[in-house]
Amino acid sequence: MEFEAPSIKTLAELREKLKPLNIPIYFNLPDPSVLEPFLVIGQTSSDTSKTVQTGLIIEDLSVQIDIFLPDDESRGGVERVRSEAIRRIGRNNRMASTVLKDDTIGREVYHIVINLTEIIF
């Protein structure tokens, strides 16, 4: 029997929730030749300190989702994508999002950053 880490299951579920956005989804930043829109489910960190307190394996998994949209997208369109992504992720008590313009991928784009923390068992 092969063990599947709960974090792998959580990331796969997150991908399924975001598929209806119809934006290509990656787990690593794609090659610079890939044009927007695209979404990256990446940058994860884990805290298992609650495991010591309870004896159960409890993990706080923090995930960063980066959505890159073309520079010529309207601000209203960007906000709609941000709101739809948050709605599709679902209720989460620890979620924050930011919209910014940046050129970290080699060209100026709208960059939506969503940070969330899930408690998984």
Side-chain angles (χ1 to χ4, degrees):
M1 183 170 128
E2 190 172 312
F3 173 74
E4 183 175 282
S7 58
I8 299 294
K9 181 180 175 189
T10 300
L11 293 172
E13 289 171 355
L14 192 53
R15 179 184 58 209
E16 290 304 310
K17 289 178 180 180
L18 293 169
K19 274 185 179 179
L21 292 174
N22 293 318
I23 296 175
I25 299 172
Y26 299 90
F27 284 95
N28 292 303
L29 193 61
D31 184 88
S33 65
V34 175
L35 296 178
E36 306 69 37
F38 62 85
L39 184 154
V40 179
I41 299 173
Q43 183 104 14
T44 61
S45 64
S46 173
D47 175 5
T48 57
S49 61
K50 292 178 185 170
T51 298
V52 176
Q53 298 167 0
T54 65
L56 300 171
I57 297 177
I58 300 172
E59 182 175 5
D60 284 336
L61 179 69
S62 296
V63 180
Q64 181 171 310
I65 300 163
D66 297 281
I67 304 173
F68 295 92
L69 300 173
D71 181 45
D72 62 358
E73 180 76 41
S74 72
R75 182 58 191 247
V78 172
E79 290 296 338
R80 280 190 290 282
V81 170
R82 184 185 68 80
S83 294
E84 180 69 12
I86 290 169
R87 189 179 70 76
R88 295 217 167 266
I89 291 168
R91 187 165 181 86
N92 184 302
N93 290 332
R94 295 188 284 176
M95 184 182 321
S97 66
T98 305
V99 174
L100 49 110
K101 289 193 79 164
D102 74 22
D103 61 0
T104 57
I105 61 171
R107 57 192 168 267
E108 190 165 61
V109 296
Y110 278 105
H111 183 184
I112 302 168
V113 181
I114 301 172
N115 291 297
L116 64 113
T117 300
E118 291 286 336
I119 298 173
I120 55 178
F121 300 89

